[in-house]
Amino acid sequence: MEKRQELYRGKAKTVYATDDPHRLIMHYRDDVSAFDGVKLAKLDLKGETNNKINAFVMGKLADAGVATHFLRVLNERESLVKAMKMLPIECVVRNVCAGSMAKRYGIEEGTRLREPIFEFFLKSDALHDPLCNDDHIRVLGWASAGEIAQMRALTHKVNAALAPLFAGAGIDLVDYKLEFGHPTADPAGPLVLGDEFTPDGCRLWDSRTGEKLDKDRFRRDLGQVIERYREVARRIGAPL
Ligand code: TMP
Ligand code: ASP
C-alpha cells in the first residue's frame, strides 16, 4: 500500500489517497479547533493519542456489529480507512443534557435524560452546523428516508455498545457526534460509520467527580487537554 497525494485537509485530520482508489489514509494532526474553526491551537501528542483512541473504539464498534470505515492502524498518527462518500449530516446522541442543547432549551448542564435524545445537524461550518430534522434532510436531498432510518438505528447501536464501555471505566458518555457515509466500493450498499470517535467529538465526564475529560477542556480553557485524553485511553484500555 503506497501513500499518494493529499486529498483533503480538515480541521484536525488530513486525508491522503493510496494506490487503491477505495482506500485512504487518515492522518491525525496535533491541531485542535473549536467553535467552527474560530479557536485554533496545536497540542503535543494529540494526533497519535486520537489515532489510538479511535482505532480502539472503532474495533469495539465492529465487535458490536456496527460497520465502520476503519481498516487498520498504519503508524503513530495514521490509519487506513475505506474511501467513503459521506452524508453532510452530523448525528448527535445525548445521554445527559449539555452544550448546545442546554443553551437552546435553558436546561441545566448535567441534567440526566430519561432516554437518549437523537439530533441531526447539517455539517456546515459557514452556517454553524444548524439543527435540522428528518424533513429538512429528506426534502432538501441531503439523505433519503432509508438513510435517515439507518443513521438512527446505527447510532442507537453505537450507544448500546459505548455507554457501557465508558461506564465500566468510570466515565459518563454525555454526548457525541457521528458521521456516516457509503464506501465508494459499495455506493448503493448500507451506511457505514466514518470520520472518528475521539474525545474531540464527544463529552466524557468522570462519573464520580464530574471532571471533564474531553474537548470542552480546550473550548473552556480548563487546561490539561491531552493529559485527560490519555487518561480516557488508559481507563477504557486503549493501548497508547
Ligand atoms: P453540541 O452540544 O455543541 O451540540 O455538541 C454535541 C456533541 O457533538 C459534543 O460531544 C461535541 C460534538 N460535536 C462535534 O464533535 N462537532 C461539531 O461540529 C458539533 C456541532 C458537535
Ligand atoms: N468541531 C467544531 C470545530 O472544530 C466544533 C467544536 O468542536 O466546537 O470548530
Side-chain angles (χ1 to χ4, degrees), residues 11-12 32-40 90 123 125 129 177 200-201 203 215-216 218-219:
K11 292 189 292 271
V32 57
S33 79
F35 313 121
D36 306 315
V38 168
K39 179 170 175 171
L40 298 168
E90 301 192 346
K123 188 177 169 76
D125 279 348
D129 295 346
K177 183 258 303 175
D200 273 6
R203 287 196 172 88
K215 200 165 85 176
D216 272 346
F218 173 70
R219 294 191 190 95

Side-chain angles (χ1 to χ4, degrees), residues 18-33:
T18 71
D19 51 347
D20 178 342
H22 295 306
R23 291 183 170 201
L24 302 176
I25 293 174
M26 268 202 171
H27 179 107
Y28 287 79
R29 305 195 314 273
D30 283 342
D31 296 307
V32 57
S33 79

Side-chain angles (χ1 to χ4, degrees), residues 89 118-122 130-140 142-143 148 152:
I89 302 295
F118 186 91
E119 292 174 344
F120 288 121
F121 295 87
L122 175 65
L131 183 71
C132 59
N133 69 19
D134 297 32
D135 279 358
H136 296 114
I137 295 175
R138 199 174 39 78
V139 176
L140 299 174
W142 302 326
I148 293 168
R152 278 185 192 282

